Structure formats: structure tokens, C-alpha cells
Amino acid sequence: MSPRKIIIDTDPGVDDILAMLLAFSTLPEELEILLISVTYGNIDLTNCLRNVVSLFHHIEQEIRWRESQGREAGFETLRKTKPLVAIGPDHPLRDDKLMADFFHGTDGLGGIHDSHPHLAPGEAWKELFEDAQAKENQDPDNLAVAEVLSKNEPMFAPSKIPAHLEILRLLRENDADTISIVAIGPLTNLAIAAAEDTETFLRAKEVVVMGGTIDLPGNVRIPTVPSLVLPPKVSEPAFRLTRAAPGPIRNMLNGKNQMTPVAEFNTFADSYAAARVYALTSPTPKTTLPPIPPTSHGSTQGTSPPPFLAPYPENLSRRLNVKLFPLDITERHLLTRGEFTKAVDPLLKAHSPLAEWVSAFLTSTFNKVESLQQNVSGDAVPLQLHDPLCIWYCMSALDPKWNLTQNEDIRVETSGQWTRGMCVTDGRSRRVLDYDGVEERAGDSGNWLSRKAGNRMQRCMGTPGEERFGGYMLERIFKS
């Protein structure tokens, strides 16, 4: 059986790294990873890119260590096919840029680049992604080091063109319905690609999205804090309004204005991008596009939108297949501290480089989770495996135990005063009308009951095993 080809669009924080480790640990007949497209999100773009480079660096070290110990090297799909790494946008289409460094740490990995500097890659990796024009002004010593790095054949190929163009190129060069895009960060990259060349983007087999929440509260909040006033022990808000300078004023503004009870972070971080991507699932995309087109970054409101964000063509050849993995399903898949410790302690004693690196950032993450939750401590502290669940689906999509809804009209609120980023569904028990128009009719505000309006998405409701996924993921990654 041919492997499933995937593109991973990611904003590497903790669970993104675990998702990529799981993907790279697969067999060549399971997955082929064509591209890692990096975007801002959990942390700023530079740190996201550094975390990807650090991931490959530690996998290389781990493979050498395993071979020296007479162990199975693992990471077969990665050793067979070297993926591209391309850089995407560092800001959303229209909204203020937010980051989740409160949870993921200032570097996206629990601050380990400062606390464990020996585990961080050198700075010369940045030069690998510079284009020829930019290199003219770079330090000659750094360029020389980058040249050496490039000749050492790292386990990835750095791209010099924007990530959305790499996505379109791969979709264009491969047969239609052969590439799955796994989106585990804000959907800005995908929205730009879809607007740049809509028909090419629709060649994707599917877009597997970790995002949104349907029946659960949102996670763009400071957990366990019911008041809008930041508690004294919290020095930074959960999601930062980066236009403001660090300090008490920004903390106050974020505490009051940047929390929502209804939105999940990836969707909230660029609600316009999510709405534009999901609109391609509709028989008539214009019925669910955001009412106000986003302006280019730095433009004033009211100026004309740039061409790449123009409305989609009226007549499209097909609809986009989006499979949504919201918090409702991902929050139920956990890895406990005790489970992780039991798996990695023997590897730490044997001096596994990968175990040391993963243990460093997960120890910090488990400590953060414990500090934010009540009545959970010690080995019972859980980490929710949001992003890895999407990879598991791609690995085992043919398993009949996966349960996904069909043709569900899920829309993203982009302009609500209190509800930006909210996933909206119609819970009324009303039948679809015998009406094929797309204009609103009396008694159906938003045109939810038309056969031609609204989105048509799939949503994951059940998986092959909530209780066993954490252990399964560790077994695959560490070959234990």
C-alpha cells in the first residue's frame, strides 16, 4: 500500500513537536512527510523555526546513539525521504497577533533554550533559510558556518520560497487526492495558498485540522482564574497582545481583553484564515466568507484588500474536504506525567539524546499544567495531546473505529464583539428547506437551512482508543 503523503503546517510548541516526532517515527509505508510549513502561533516565528531545526538536530543525534548501542535506529520514513522546511507568515491576516508563551514558554518549549543551553541548536541555522539577496548583508563567519551545515546534509531541506508557494507547488506536482495537509496551528498559511490559486489548493485529498471547540469552553484563557483580574502569581497573560510593551499595562489589557469563553487558540489566532479555508467546503463559498475582507498587515481599516484575498471564483471544480479535530475530542487524549516518566527513565539512564531533550521540555510543561490545575498533582498530571491526534488519524485513517460526522455546517465567527473565533453550529431541530438559493430568507437568518449555503465539514467524534493513545505515541517515538 502506498504511504499517505502529508504536509504538516505547524507553529511548534510542545504538542506540535510531539506530533512531528510521531509522524517521523512512522514506517515508510505509513506516511511520507513532504513539507513542514512553519507559521507563527504558539510562539513567534523565529522560535517556531528554531524548534523545528532543533527537532531534526536531536533526531539525528538519537539515530547515531541508537546505532552505537546496537538498537533499532527508527525514524524510517524520515531517513527515506528528506522533507522540506519552509517559512510562512509571522502574523495573522487581520487580527492582532497573539502568542501562547504563557503555557509553552518564551521559546515554545518551556524555556529550555535558556535553562538547557546545551540542548539548543547553534544560531548559524538561520542562514540556511536566507535567500541570495539577504545573504549579501550577512556576517561572513555565520555564512561560512551555514555552508558547512548545509554540506553535512541535515535531515531536512531548507526552502528559500514562502511556505504557501511550496504547498501549492507540491499540490500541483502530485496527483490530485494524494496529499493530506495536517494543520496544527493557525490557518494563515493555508488561507493565503487557497486564495493565491484556489483550484490547485483544492487538489488536496483533505485538510486535517486541530482547531475549534463545539460543545466545550474555549482555551484562550487563563485556566482556573474566574476573575478578569490577573492573580499576583501570574506575571504574564496566557495570550499576549504583542503590540503593547511588556509590563503591567500589557498584562492588564490581556487579562481583560484577550480571553474568550468560546474559542480555541488556533482558530482564535486567525479567525479570518479559518473562516476562509472552511468556506471552501461549501457548495457556495461566498455564503460563509468573512463579511469584511482582511487588509494587508499594517494597512489601515477601510483600504482595499490585497488581490490574494479576493473572493474565491464563482465556479469551482470541487469542494475542500476538511476534517476537524476540535478540543471536544483532543482533550480526551492524555499523556500523564507518570506514564511519561516510566517510559523515559530507562532511556535517560542510558543517555538517550532524544529522551533528554523531550524530558527537558515536558518536565517544564507538566510543571506548568500542575500549577494551573486544582486537585491534580504528581504522576496524575495530564498533558492533552491535541496535535498528535491528527497525526494518528493520518497513520490509521482506515481503522473503522474512527468516527467522523458528515456534511456538518460549522462556521467561524470573525466579527463578534464577544465571540471571535467561535465555531458556530445549528443545533435547532429544523429540516433543510427545499430551496437552492443562497440569499437569506425570512425566518432563516444566516441561511442555515438552504441546500446550497453553509459549510460541509467532517468532525471527529470518536477514535480507536482514548486511553491507550499516550502510551502508543511513546512506544512509536522511543521504540520502547
Side-chain angles (χ1 to χ4, degrees):
M1 183 176 66
S2 299
R4 181 179 295 248
K5 297 179 180 180
I6 67 171
I7 291 170
I8 302 178
D9 191 69
T10 176
D11 58 335
V14 171
D15 56 331
D16 300 72
I17 292 295
L18 292 176
M20 286 187 282
L21 278 171
L22 179 59
F24 293 146
S25 72
T26 58
L27 300 174
E29 57 267 28
E30 291 177 312
L31 294 181
E32 179 182 351
I33 299 94
L34 303 177
L35 168 69
I36 305 295
S37 55
V38 185
T39 182
Y40 74 95
N42 285 318
I43 198 65
D44 62 276
L45 184 62
T46 298
N47 273 298
C48 285
L49 184 59
R50 176 168 65 170
N51 291 340
V52 171
V53 175
S54 188
L55 167 65
F56 284 104
H57 170 70
H58 287 94
I59 289 176
E60 288 184 82
Q61 288 189 318
E62 178 73 6
I63 290 173
R64 288 198 294 268
W65 174 79
R66 289 180 183 179
E67 291 176 339
S68 72
Q69 299 291 308
R71 298 170 181 251
E72 186 179 348
F75 300 104
E76 292 182 33
T77 191
L78 182 59
R79 289 188 288 129
K80 181 178 179 180
T81 305
K82 180 186 295 188
L84 282 167
V85 174
I87 305 172
D90 63 357
H91 53 80
L93 293 178
R94 182 173 180 268
D95 300 314
D96 292 321
K97 182 167 68 175
L98 306 172
M99 295 191 299
D101 55 356
F102 173 82
F103 181 80
H104 290 271
T106 55
D107 59 0
L109 293 178
I112 67 168
H113 292 303
D114 291 328
S115 63
H116 298 71
H118 66 289
L119 298 179
E123 292 298 307
W125 60 266
K126 295 178 182 178
E127 311 297 340
L128 294 173
F129 296 90
E130 297 286 352
D131 60 31
Q133 184 176 4
K135 283 186 176 181
E136 293 180 1
N137 300 318
Q138 295 299 322
D139 184 285
D141 291 336
N142 278 347
L143 289 174
V145 175
E147 183 68 17
V148 172
L149 284 175
S150 64
K151 290 180 178 178
N152 283 339
E153 297 187 356
M155 302 189 79
F156 67 92
S159 173
K160 306 296 175 62
I161 67 173
H164 74 279
L165 295 180
E166 287 286 20
I167 292 172
L168 291 172
R169 181 186 64 80
L170 289 167
L171 291 171
R172 195 176 295 118
E173 293 177 358
N174 286 269
D175 292 339
D177 293 319
T178 59
I179 295 179
S180 296
I181 302 174
V182 184
I184 52 179
L187 297 183
T188 316
N189 257 333
L190 274 58
I192 295 173
E196 175 95 10
D197 187 343
T198 309
E199 284 292 348
T200 295
F201 189 76
L202 291 175
R203 290 170 62 88
K205 176 182 177 68
E206 62 194 350
V207 178
V208 180
V209 178
M210 191 281 120
T213 179
I214 308 300
D215 297 318
L216 292 184
N219 66 351
V220 187
R221 66 191 190 278
I222 301 175
T224 73
V225 182
S227 171
L228 290 180
V229 179
L230 290 173
K233 68 177 182 178
V234 179
S235 60
E236 288 284 350
F239 298 93
R240 302 165 72 183
L241 179 59
T242 56
R243 288 181 181 178
I249 294 178
R250 184 177 70 179
N251 292 352
M252 180 271 292
L253 287 172
N254 278 278
K256 288 186 175 181
N257 301 325
Q258 297 303 320
M259 293 186 292
T260 166
V262 294
E264 173 273 335
F265 174 75
N266 287 344
T267 309
F268 187 78
D270 198 338
S271 59
Y272 273 74
R276 287 185 64 91
V277 172
Y278 296 169
L280 286 173
T281 70
S282 175
T284 314
K286 68 179 181 181
T287 62
T288 58
L289 280 174
I292 303 173
T295 59
S296 60
H297 186 62
S299 299
T300 57
Q301 187 61 39
T303 58
S304 299
F308 67 83
L309 289 179
Y312 295 127
E314 283 289 334
N315 299 308
L316 295 173
S317 63
R318 59 192 293 181
R319 302 203 313 257
L320 187 66
N321 179 10
V322 172
K323 295 176 178 174
L324 188 67
F325 286 70
L327 293 180
D328 308 63
I329 191 69
T330 62
E331 281 196 352
R332 296 177 355 216
H333 293 74
L334 306 173
L335 174 67
T336 66
R337 179 191 273 155
E339 194 174 16
F340 176 73
T341 301
K342 181 179 178 180
V344 300
D345 269 359
L347 295 170
L348 288 173
K349 292 175 182 177
H351 306 293
S352 158
L354 185 62
E356 181 185 8
W357 183 58
V358 174
S359 181
F361 67 75
L362 280 189
T363 295
S364 174
T365 304
F366 281 124
N367 290 340
K368 172 59 69 175
V369 172
E370 185 171 21
S371 74
L372 296 174
Q373 293 194 354
Q374 298 175 349
N375 304 321
V376 180
S377 61
D379 286 350
V381 173
L383 174 67
Q384 294 165 345
L385 301 174
H386 305 292
D387 297 341
L389 189 63
C390 294
I391 299 296
W392 190 29
Y393 170 76
C394 290
M395 294 166 61
S396 60
L398 297 179
D399 190 323
K401 293 180 182 178
W402 288 101
N403 177 21
L404 282 80
T405 63
Q406 301 294 321
N407 295 321
E408 190 171 2
D409 189 357
I410 301 173
R411 310 185 192 184
V412 176
E413 176 60 66
T414 60
S415 56
Q417 182 178 4
W418 314 116
T419 56
R420 177 166 70 85
M422 179 181 182
C423 285
V424 182
T425 61
D426 188 353
R428 300 172 296 177
S429 57
R430 297 180 62 186
R431 67 177 179 83
V432 173
L433 299 176
D434 293 325
Y435 168 61
D436 289 338
V438 295
E439 303 303 324
E440 286 194 10
R441 304 184 73 188
D444 184 25
S445 178
N447 208 356
W448 289 84
L449 303 177
S450 167
R451 297 181 186 276
K452 290 291 183 70
N455 295 331
R456 303 289 186 271
M457 296 169 59
Q458 298 181 58
R459 171 164 60 110
C460 183
M461 303 288 287
T463 72
E466 297 175 16
E467 67 290 337
R468 70 183 183 90
F469 177 52
Y472 171 80
M473 181 187 72
L474 293 179
E475 290 173 6
R476 294 298 294 256
I477 292 173
F478 292 107
K479 303 296 289 185
S480 56

